[in-house]
Short mmCIF file of all heavy atoms in Angstrom, two decimals:
data_model
loop_
_atom_site.label_atom_id
_atom_site.label_comp_id
_atom_site.label_asym_id
_atom_site.label_seq_id
_atom_site.Cartn_x
_atom_site.Cartn_y
_atom_site.Cartn_z
N ALA A 251 46.44 93.87 115.59
CA ALA A 251 45.96 93.36 114.30
C ALA A 251 45.86 91.84 114.33
O ALA A 251 44.90 91.26 113.80
CB ALA A 251 46.88 93.82 113.18
N ALA A 252 46.85 91.17 114.92
CA ALA A 252 46.79 89.71 115.00
C ALA A 252 45.64 89.26 115.88
O ALA A 252 44.98 88.25 115.58
CB ALA A 252 48.11 89.17 115.55
N ARG A 253 45.36 89.99 116.95
CA ARG A 253 44.23 89.63 117.82
C ARG A 253 42.91 89.78 117.07
O ARG A 253 42.03 88.92 117.17
CB ARG A 253 44.21 90.50 119.08
CG ARG A 253 43.14 90.07 120.09
CD ARG A 253 42.95 91.08 121.21
NE ARG A 253 44.21 91.47 121.79
CZ ARG A 253 44.69 92.71 121.78
NH1 ARG A 253 43.99 93.69 121.20
NH2 ARG A 253 45.84 93.00 122.33
N ILE A 254 42.75 90.86 116.31
CA ILE A 254 41.52 91.07 115.54
C ILE A 254 41.32 89.93 114.55
O ILE A 254 40.23 89.38 114.41
CB ILE A 254 41.56 92.43 114.82
CG1 ILE A 254 41.49 93.56 115.85
CG2 ILE A 254 40.43 92.54 113.81
CD1 ILE A 254 41.74 94.94 115.25
N MET A 255 42.41 89.54 113.87
CA MET A 255 42.29 88.49 112.87
C MET A 255 42.05 87.13 113.51
O MET A 255 41.19 86.35 113.06
CB MET A 255 43.54 88.44 112.00
CG MET A 255 43.47 87.41 110.88
SD MET A 255 44.89 87.45 109.75
CE MET A 255 44.57 88.96 108.85
N ALA A 256 42.79 86.82 114.57
CA ALA A 256 42.73 85.47 115.15
C ALA A 256 41.54 85.26 116.07
O ALA A 256 41.03 84.14 116.17
CB ALA A 256 44.02 85.19 115.91
N LYS A 257 41.07 86.32 116.74
CA LYS A 257 40.04 86.14 117.76
C LYS A 257 38.71 86.80 117.41
O LYS A 257 37.65 86.30 117.79
CB LYS A 257 40.54 86.68 119.11
CG LYS A 257 41.85 86.07 119.58
CD LYS A 257 41.75 84.56 119.77
CE LYS A 257 43.07 83.96 120.20
NZ LYS A 257 42.99 82.48 120.34
N GLY A 258 38.75 87.92 116.75
CA GLY A 258 37.51 88.61 116.40
C GLY A 258 36.92 89.40 117.56
O GLY A 258 37.38 89.29 118.71
N TYR A 259 35.90 90.21 117.25
CA TYR A 259 35.27 91.07 118.24
C TYR A 259 33.75 90.89 118.17
O TYR A 259 33.19 90.61 117.12
CB TYR A 259 35.62 92.53 117.99
CG TYR A 259 36.96 92.93 118.58
CD1 TYR A 259 38.14 92.45 118.04
CD2 TYR A 259 37.02 93.77 119.68
CE1 TYR A 259 39.37 92.79 118.58
CE2 TYR A 259 38.25 94.13 120.23
CZ TYR A 259 39.42 93.64 119.68
OH TYR A 259 40.62 93.98 120.23
N ALA A 260 33.11 91.04 119.31
CA ALA A 260 31.64 91.01 119.40
C ALA A 260 31.19 92.26 120.14
O ALA A 260 31.45 92.39 121.34
CB ALA A 260 31.17 89.76 120.13
N GLN A 261 30.57 93.19 119.45
CA GLN A 261 30.09 94.45 120.04
C GLN A 261 31.17 95.13 120.89
O GLN A 261 30.94 95.59 121.99
CB GLN A 261 28.84 94.18 120.90
CG GLN A 261 27.68 93.63 120.10
CD GLN A 261 26.41 93.53 120.91
OE1 GLN A 261 25.82 94.57 121.26
NE2 GLN A 261 26.00 92.31 121.21
N GLY A 262 32.37 95.18 120.29
CA GLY A 262 33.46 95.89 120.94
C GLY A 262 34.28 95.08 121.90
O GLY A 262 35.31 95.55 122.38
N LYS A 263 33.85 93.86 122.22
CA LYS A 263 34.59 93.00 123.14
C LYS A 263 35.35 91.94 122.33
O LYS A 263 34.76 91.26 121.47
CB LYS A 263 33.64 92.29 124.11
CG LYS A 263 32.96 93.22 125.10
CD LYS A 263 33.86 93.51 126.28
CE LYS A 263 33.10 94.25 127.38
NZ LYS A 263 33.87 94.35 128.61
N ALA A 264 36.64 91.78 122.65
CA ALA A 264 37.41 90.73 122.00
C ALA A 264 36.85 89.37 122.38
O ALA A 264 36.56 89.11 123.55
CB ALA A 264 38.87 90.82 122.40
N ARG A 265 36.70 88.50 121.40
CA ARG A 265 36.18 87.16 121.66
C ARG A 265 37.22 86.26 122.33
O ARG A 265 36.88 85.18 122.82
CB ARG A 265 35.73 86.52 120.35
CG ARG A 265 34.51 87.21 119.72
CD ARG A 265 34.11 86.51 118.43
NE ARG A 265 32.95 87.15 117.82
CZ ARG A 265 31.68 86.83 118.09
NH1 ARG A 265 31.43 85.89 119.00
NH2 ARG A 265 30.68 87.44 117.48
N GLY A 266 38.44 86.69 122.35
CA GLY A 266 39.50 85.91 122.98
C GLY A 266 40.78 86.72 122.98
O GLY A 266 40.85 87.82 122.43
N LYS A 267 41.78 86.17 123.64
CA LYS A 267 43.07 86.84 123.72
C LYS A 267 44.15 86.00 123.05
O LYS A 267 44.06 84.77 122.98
CB LYS A 267 43.46 87.06 125.18
CG LYS A 267 42.60 88.07 125.92
CD LYS A 267 43.12 88.27 127.34
CE LYS A 267 42.32 89.33 128.09
NZ LYS A 267 42.84 89.53 129.47
N LEU A 268 45.15 86.67 122.56
CA LEU A 268 46.36 85.99 122.14
C LEU A 268 47.06 85.41 123.37
O LEU A 268 46.84 85.87 124.50
CB LEU A 268 47.30 86.95 121.42
CG LEU A 268 46.78 87.61 120.14
CD1 LEU A 268 47.78 88.64 119.65
CD2 LEU A 268 46.49 86.58 119.07
N ALA A 269 47.94 84.44 123.16
CA ALA A 269 48.70 83.89 124.28
C ALA A 269 49.50 84.98 124.97
O ALA A 269 49.58 85.04 126.21
CB ALA A 269 49.61 82.77 123.80
N MET A 270 50.08 85.89 124.20
CA MET A 270 50.88 86.96 124.80
C MET A 270 50.02 87.92 125.62
O MET A 270 50.50 88.55 126.56
CB MET A 270 51.67 87.70 123.73
CG MET A 270 50.87 88.52 122.76
SD MET A 270 51.92 89.31 121.47
CE MET A 270 51.91 88.07 120.19
N ASP A 271 48.73 88.02 125.28
CA ASP A 271 47.82 88.89 126.04
C ASP A 271 47.53 88.33 127.43
O ASP A 271 47.07 89.06 128.31
CB ASP A 271 46.48 89.04 125.30
CG ASP A 271 46.62 89.76 123.97
OD1 ASP A 271 47.55 90.56 123.81
OD2 ASP A 271 45.77 89.50 123.09
N THR A 272 47.75 87.03 127.62
CA THR A 272 47.42 86.40 128.90
C THR A 272 48.55 86.52 129.92
O THR A 272 48.38 86.08 131.06
CB THR A 272 47.08 84.92 128.71
OG1 THR A 272 48.25 84.20 128.27
CG2 THR A 272 45.96 84.74 127.69
N PHE A 273 49.68 87.07 129.51
CA PHE A 273 50.78 87.24 130.46
C PHE A 273 50.38 88.29 131.50
O PHE A 273 49.86 89.35 131.13
CB PHE A 273 52.06 87.65 129.73
CG PHE A 273 52.76 86.52 129.02
CD1 PHE A 273 52.05 85.46 128.49
CD2 PHE A 273 54.13 86.52 128.88
CE1 PHE A 273 52.69 84.42 127.84
CE2 PHE A 273 54.79 85.49 128.24
CZ PHE A 273 54.07 84.43 127.71
N PRO A 274 50.63 88.04 132.78
CA PRO A 274 50.05 88.90 133.82
C PRO A 274 50.73 90.24 134.02
O PRO A 274 50.16 91.13 134.65
CB PRO A 274 50.17 88.04 135.09
CG PRO A 274 51.34 87.14 134.82
CD PRO A 274 51.30 86.85 133.35
N TYR A 275 51.94 90.41 133.52
CA TYR A 275 52.67 91.66 133.75
C TYR A 275 53.09 92.26 132.41
O TYR A 275 53.50 91.54 131.50
CB TYR A 275 53.90 91.44 134.62
CG TYR A 275 53.56 90.98 136.02
CD1 TYR A 275 53.56 89.62 136.34
CD2 TYR A 275 53.19 91.90 137.00
CE1 TYR A 275 53.23 89.20 137.62
CE2 TYR A 275 52.86 91.47 138.29
CZ TYR A 275 52.88 90.12 138.58
OH TYR A 275 52.54 89.70 139.85
N SER A 276 53.00 93.59 132.32
CA SER A 276 53.35 94.28 131.09
C SER A 276 54.09 95.58 131.40
O SER A 276 53.89 96.19 132.45
CB SER A 276 52.10 94.61 130.26
OG SER A 276 51.46 93.44 129.83
N GLY A 277 54.92 95.98 130.46
CA GLY A 277 55.62 97.25 130.56
C GLY A 277 55.83 97.85 129.19
O GLY A 277 55.50 97.24 128.16
N GLN A 278 56.38 99.05 129.19
CA GLN A 278 56.71 99.75 127.94
C GLN A 278 58.22 99.92 127.87
O GLN A 278 58.84 100.37 128.84
CB GLN A 278 56.04 101.12 127.90
CG GLN A 278 54.55 101.08 127.65
CD GLN A 278 54.21 100.75 126.22
OE1 GLN A 278 53.69 99.68 125.95
NE2 GLN A 278 54.51 101.65 125.31
N VAL A 279 58.81 99.58 126.73
CA VAL A 279 60.26 99.59 126.57
C VAL A 279 60.68 100.73 125.65
O VAL A 279 60.16 100.88 124.54
CB VAL A 279 60.77 98.26 126.01
CG1 VAL A 279 62.29 98.27 125.91
CG2 VAL A 279 60.31 97.09 126.88
N MET A 280 61.67 101.51 126.11
CA MET A 280 62.30 102.54 125.27
C MET A 280 63.42 101.86 124.48
O MET A 280 64.23 101.13 125.05
CB MET A 280 62.86 103.65 126.15
CG MET A 280 61.80 104.38 126.96
SD MET A 280 62.46 105.65 128.08
CE MET A 280 63.05 104.63 129.43
N THR A 281 63.48 102.10 123.18
CA THR A 281 64.29 101.26 122.29
C THR A 281 65.50 101.92 121.65
O THR A 281 66.14 101.32 120.79
CB THR A 281 63.40 100.70 121.17
OG1 THR A 281 62.88 101.79 120.39
CG2 THR A 281 62.25 99.88 121.72
N ALA A 282 65.86 103.14 122.02
CA ALA A 282 66.94 103.85 121.33
C ALA A 282 68.25 103.08 121.40
O ALA A 282 68.53 102.36 122.37
CB ALA A 282 67.12 105.23 121.93
N SER A 283 69.07 103.23 120.36
CA SER A 283 70.42 102.67 120.35
C SER A 283 71.40 103.73 120.87
O SER A 283 71.00 104.83 121.25
CB SER A 283 70.81 102.24 118.94
OG SER A 283 70.93 103.38 118.08
N LEU A 284 72.68 103.40 120.87
CA LEU A 284 73.69 104.33 121.36
C LEU A 284 73.77 105.58 120.49
O LEU A 284 74.06 106.67 120.99
CB LEU A 284 75.06 103.64 121.40
CG LEU A 284 76.25 104.46 121.92
CD1 LEU A 284 76.05 104.86 123.38
CD2 LEU A 284 77.55 103.67 121.77
N ASN A 285 73.48 105.46 119.19
CA ASN A 285 73.70 106.60 118.30
C ASN A 285 72.44 107.07 117.58
O ASN A 285 72.52 107.85 116.65
CB ASN A 285 74.80 106.28 117.28
CG ASN A 285 74.43 105.14 116.33
OD1 ASN A 285 73.56 104.32 116.64
ND2 ASN A 285 75.07 105.08 115.18
N SER A 286 71.24 106.61 118.01
CA SER A 286 70.03 107.09 117.35
C SER A 286 68.79 106.79 118.18
O SER A 286 68.73 105.77 118.89
CB SER A 286 69.88 106.42 115.97
OG SER A 286 68.67 106.82 115.35
N ILE A 287 67.77 107.65 118.04
CA ILE A 287 66.48 107.34 118.64
C ILE A 287 65.79 106.20 117.92
O ILE A 287 64.87 105.57 118.45
CB ILE A 287 65.54 108.58 118.67
CG1 ILE A 287 65.29 109.12 117.26
CG2 ILE A 287 66.06 109.64 119.62
CD1 ILE A 287 64.23 110.20 117.19
N VAL A 288 66.23 105.92 116.68
CA VAL A 288 65.65 104.82 115.89
C VAL A 288 66.70 103.73 115.76
O VAL A 288 67.69 103.88 115.04
CB VAL A 288 65.19 105.30 114.49
CG1 VAL A 288 64.58 104.14 113.72
CG2 VAL A 288 64.20 106.44 114.61
N THR A 289 66.48 102.63 116.46
CA THR A 289 67.46 101.54 116.45
C THR A 289 67.25 100.62 115.27
O THR A 289 66.17 100.56 114.67
CB THR A 289 67.35 100.73 117.76
OG1 THR A 289 68.44 99.80 117.83
CG2 THR A 289 66.04 99.95 117.84
N ASP A 290 68.29 99.89 114.90
CA ASP A 290 68.10 98.74 114.04
C ASP A 290 68.14 97.49 114.93
O ASP A 290 68.26 97.58 116.14
CB ASP A 290 69.12 98.73 112.90
CG ASP A 290 70.46 98.11 113.28
OD1 ASP A 290 70.91 98.33 114.42
OD2 ASP A 290 71.06 97.42 112.44
N SER A 291 68.01 96.33 114.31
CA SER A 291 67.83 95.12 115.10
C SER A 291 69.08 94.69 115.86
O SER A 291 68.96 93.97 116.86
CB SER A 291 67.37 93.97 114.20
OG SER A 291 66.08 94.20 113.72
N ALA A 292 70.26 95.08 115.41
CA ALA A 292 71.48 94.62 116.08
C ALA A 292 71.55 95.14 117.52
O ALA A 292 71.54 94.34 118.47
CB ALA A 292 72.70 95.01 115.27
N PRO A 293 71.61 96.46 117.76
CA PRO A 293 71.55 96.91 119.15
C PRO A 293 70.18 96.71 119.77
O PRO A 293 70.06 96.58 120.99
CB PRO A 293 71.91 98.40 119.06
CG PRO A 293 71.54 98.79 117.67
CD PRO A 293 71.79 97.58 116.82
N GLY A 294 69.13 96.69 118.92
CA GLY A 294 67.80 96.46 119.46
C GLY A 294 67.73 95.19 120.27
O GLY A 294 67.07 95.12 121.30
N MET A 295 68.43 94.13 119.82
CA MET A 295 68.53 92.89 120.58
C MET A 295 69.66 92.94 121.60
O MET A 295 69.50 92.57 122.76
CB MET A 295 68.75 91.72 119.61
CG MET A 295 68.86 90.35 120.30
SD MET A 295 67.28 89.75 120.93
CE MET A 295 67.64 89.53 122.66
N ALA A 296 70.83 93.39 121.16
CA ALA A 296 72.01 93.35 122.03
C ALA A 296 71.81 94.16 123.31
O ALA A 296 72.32 93.79 124.37
CB ALA A 296 73.24 93.85 121.27
N ASN A 297 71.08 95.28 123.24
CA ASN A 297 70.85 96.09 124.43
C ASN A 297 70.12 95.30 125.51
O ASN A 297 70.34 95.51 126.70
CB ASN A 297 70.06 97.35 124.08
CG ASN A 297 70.82 98.29 123.16
OD1 ASN A 297 71.99 98.09 122.87
ND2 ASN A 297 70.13 99.30 122.67
N TYR A 298 69.21 94.39 125.10
CA TYR A 298 68.49 93.56 126.06
C TYR A 298 69.41 92.59 126.79
O TYR A 298 69.18 92.27 127.95
CB TYR A 298 67.43 92.72 125.34
CG TYR A 298 66.16 93.44 124.96
CD1 TYR A 298 65.65 93.32 123.67
CD2 TYR A 298 65.44 94.19 125.88
CE1 TYR A 298 64.47 93.94 123.31
CE2 TYR A 298 64.26 94.82 125.52
CZ TYR A 298 63.78 94.69 124.24
OH TYR A 298 62.61 95.31 123.89
N VAL A 299 70.41 92.07 126.08
CA VAL A 299 71.18 90.96 126.64
C VAL A 299 72.64 91.33 126.94
O VAL A 299 73.47 90.46 127.17
CB VAL A 299 71.13 89.73 125.70
CG1 VAL A 299 69.74 89.12 125.72
CG2 VAL A 299 71.56 90.08 124.29
N SER A 300 72.94 92.63 126.96
CA SER A 300 74.26 93.07 127.40
C SER A 300 74.16 94.14 128.48
O SER A 300 75.13 94.39 129.18
CB SER A 300 75.07 93.63 126.23
OG SER A 300 74.54 94.87 125.78
N GLY A 301 72.99 94.79 128.58
CA GLY A 301 72.83 95.87 129.55
C GLY A 301 73.43 97.17 129.12
O GLY A 301 73.47 98.13 129.89
N ASN A 302 73.90 97.25 127.86
CA ASN A 302 74.60 98.44 127.39
C ASN A 302 74.14 98.82 125.99
O ASN A 302 73.77 97.96 125.19
CB ASN A 302 76.11 98.19 127.39
CG ASN A 302 76.69 98.28 128.78
OD1 ASN A 302 77.04 99.35 129.24
ND2 ASN A 302 76.76 97.14 129.46
N LYS A 303 74.19 100.10 125.72
CA LYS A 303 73.83 100.62 124.40
C LYS A 303 74.93 100.30 123.39
O LYS A 303 76.12 100.38 123.70
CB LYS A 303 73.63 102.13 124.46
CG LYS A 303 72.47 102.57 125.35
CD LYS A 303 71.13 102.18 124.78
CE LYS A 303 69.98 102.76 125.59
NZ LYS A 303 68.66 102.41 125.04
N ALA A 304 74.50 99.93 122.20
CA ALA A 304 75.41 99.72 121.09
C ALA A 304 74.96 100.57 119.91
O ALA A 304 73.80 100.97 119.82
CB ALA A 304 75.44 98.24 120.69
N ASN A 305 75.88 100.85 119.01
CA ASN A 305 75.56 101.58 117.79
C ASN A 305 74.71 100.72 116.85
O ASN A 305 74.77 99.48 116.89
CB ASN A 305 76.84 101.95 117.04
CG ASN A 305 77.34 103.34 117.41
OD1 ASN A 305 76.88 103.95 118.38
ND2 ASN A 305 78.31 103.84 116.66
N ASN A 306 73.93 101.36 116.01
CA ASN A 306 73.24 100.63 114.95
C ASN A 306 74.24 99.83 114.13
O ASN A 306 75.37 100.28 113.88
CB ASN A 306 72.47 101.59 114.05
CG ASN A 306 71.20 102.10 114.71
OD1 ASN A 306 70.84 101.70 115.81
ND2 ASN A 306 70.51 103.00 114.03
N ASN A 307 73.82 98.64 113.74
CA ASN A 307 74.61 97.69 112.94
C ASN A 307 75.67 96.95 113.73
O ASN A 307 76.40 96.13 113.17
CB ASN A 307 75.27 98.37 111.73
CG ASN A 307 74.25 98.96 110.79
OD1 ASN A 307 73.35 98.26 110.33
ND2 ASN A 307 74.38 100.25 110.49
N GLU A 308 75.77 97.20 115.05
CA GLU A 308 76.83 96.58 115.85
C GLU A 308 76.23 95.66 116.91
O GLU A 308 75.19 95.96 117.48
CB GLU A 308 77.72 97.65 116.48
CG GLU A 308 78.37 98.55 115.43
CD GLU A 308 79.46 99.45 115.99
OE1 GLU A 308 79.65 99.50 117.22
OE2 GLU A 308 80.15 100.10 115.17
#
Side-chain angles (χ1 to χ4, degrees):
R253 186 191 312 117
I254 292 171
M255 183 175 287
K257 304 300 179 182
Y259 277 70
Q261 298 187 70
K263 292 278 189 170
R265 293 181 180 272
K267 292 183 177 181
L268 299 174
M270 68 183 91
D271 296 333
T272 67
F273 282 32
Y275 296 96
S276 296
Q278 286 286 112
V279 182
M280 298 177 281
T281 62
S283 67
L284 182 63
N285 64 338
S286 177
I287 59 172
V288 181
T289 189
D290 84 322
S291 292
M295 181 72 238
N297 295 352
Y298 282 132
V299 289
S300 70
N302 283 273
K303 296 292 187 179
N305 267 12
N306 285 356
N307 299 305
E308 301 191 353

